[in-house]
Amino acid sequence: MGIVVIGDVFIDIKGYSLSPYIPQGRNAGTVIQIHGGVARNVAENIANIELKPTFISAVDNNAMGDDVIEKLKRHKVETKYMKKVENGMGTWLAVFDHEGDVVASISKRPDHKPIEQILDEYGDEIFKDADSIAIEIDTDKEIVKKTFAYAEKYGKEVYALVSNMTIAVERRDFLRRTACFVCNQQEAGILFSDEYDHMGPEEMCRTLAANVGSARIPCMVVTMGDKGAVYACADGESGIVPAKKVNVIDTTGAGDAFFAGTVIGRAYGKTMAEACG
């Protein structure tokens, strides 16, 4: 079954400003539309490593939904459990400045009921042979509950990431049942009701190590953009992973790609330092 990925498909509509972005002004640029969604991105990234993940999700019952499924199949993602329904996909509308950073966005979430129905119908079949599970922790609470119930029934590790930290804050009980939770520096600040944006990697690592213990979260990774990432586990292990130097074109999905790499590494025997690197 490989790694089972549970979460949403989005259609991303992106506008790129060709010059410094002017809020409330007219900005010349380009507009593109692509397949997105945190979980969809993760599933595709895992497949790009020549693994074959199983994706549990829904798409719209139209040509665009068909296109999403066909692309995933071409990447060798297992899509047999995906449903085609009305309002199966979300939409993310984003505006980027000339340096590739998001300056404004609006998101419409999809209907999560179809995913819950997939778990009800095929849960045992899906989870009993899974290598591990990756889930958006802020998806519908019933989906999260069912996922952890199946994971514990079959002894599978759950790796979690987030797209809406405000919702995830209410899921602390689930975070304590994960093998690892990955978020960015700002999201970590929301989770622990603190301000972390000013911290460098060394201070962030020390702070995270203290917080995972008191929060009873088994392991966390915090990404820090061009400063790399830090990780800390309740057993006392912690570390800093420097960022690799690359030419930045678009920062969208960078966190999803990092998460996919971390899940792959941990699911198949790498240390935390190796998985995050």
Side-chain angles (χ1 to χ4, degrees):
M1 187 68 72
I3 298 171
V4 172
V5 182
I6 304 167
D8 295 334
V9 172
F10 270 67
I11 295 300
D12 293 348
I13 303 171
K14 303 179 179 181
Y16 295 89
S17 180
L18 295 177
S19 56
Y21 178 74
I22 304 172
Q24 301 178 342
R26 299 175 76 97
N27 295 273
T30 59
V31 177
I32 63 171
Q33 181 173 288
I34 62 171
H35 303 163
V38 169
R40 194 218 67 85
N41 292 346
V42 168
E44 185 174 301
N45 284 322
I46 292 172
N48 286 340
I49 309 298
E50 297 187 359
L51 302 172
K52 190 174 182 179
T54 297
F55 189 30
I56 312 301
S57 190
V59 295
D60 288 351
N61 190 20
N62 57 25
M64 189 173 291
D66 291 339
D67 190 38
V68 170
I69 291 176
E70 287 306 311
K71 183 183 179 187
L72 289 170
K73 285 181 177 178
R74 289 196 298 272
H75 281 266
K76 304 201 183 309
V77 175
E78 178 57 73
T79 62
K80 69 179 180 180
Y81 298 107
M82 294 181 68
K83 279 183 174 284
K84 295 198 294 184
V85 297
E86 294 297 322
N87 195 33
M89 301 188 297
T91 305
W92 185 55
L93 174 65
V95 177
F96 295 77
D97 64 18
H98 66 295
E99 295 180 335
D101 294 321
V102 177
V103 292
S105 69
I106 296 174
S107 181
K108 179 188 80 69
R109 290 167 71 86
D111 179 11
H112 287 139
K113 196 68 178 175
I115 299 179
E116 186 181 346
Q117 292 169 348
I118 295 167
L119 298 183
D120 288 338
E121 292 177 40
Y122 304 106
D124 287 297
E125 180 180 322
I126 291 168
F127 291 99
K128 68 179 180 179
D129 295 323
D131 292 337
S132 64
I133 301 154
I135 187 171
E136 293 180 62
I137 202 71
D138 52 314
T139 193
D140 185 87
K141 192 170 186 179
E142 284 303 309
I143 294 172
V144 179
K145 284 174 62 176
K146 291 177 190 293
T147 296
F148 276 93
Y150 279 115
E152 288 162 9
K153 178 179 180 178
Y154 291 107
K156 308 299 181 179
E157 291 188 331
V158 179
Y159 298 85
L161 78 168
V162 62
S163 57
N164 187 326
M165 196 66 203
T166 303
I167 296 174
V169 165
E170 302 169 2
R171 309 281 167 84
R172 294 177 191 271
D173 53 334
F174 292 116
L175 292 177
R176 292 167 181 154
R177 295 157 68 183
T178 61
C180 186
F181 174 52
V182 180
C183 66
N184 64 35
Q185 192 169 9
Q186 183 180 46
E187 291 163 343
I190 295 171
L191 178 63
F192 295 120
S193 302
D194 206 344
E195 174 58 58
Y196 295 155
D197 289 353
H198 65 285
M199 292 186 182
E202 292 79 8
E203 185 180 2
M204 186 70 244
C205 189
R206 290 194 300 270
T207 301
L208 184 64
N211 284 342
V212 294
S214 59
R216 303 201 310 277
I217 297 173
C219 194
M220 269 187 72
V221 180
V222 175
T223 60
M224 303 179 67
D226 60 2
K227 297 176 184 176
V230 301
Y231 64 89
C233 303
D235 65 4
E237 181 184 4
S238 65
I240 299 170
V241 182
K244 291 180 171 59
K245 295 201 177 291
V246 296
N247 292 323
V248 177
I249 297 172
D250 183 345
T251 57
T252 311
D256 303 341
F258 179 93
F259 173 78
T262 302
V263 172
I264 291 167
R266 293 299 287 166
Y268 300 119
K270 300 294 185 182
T271 66
M272 278 302 301
E274 290 169 337
C276 293

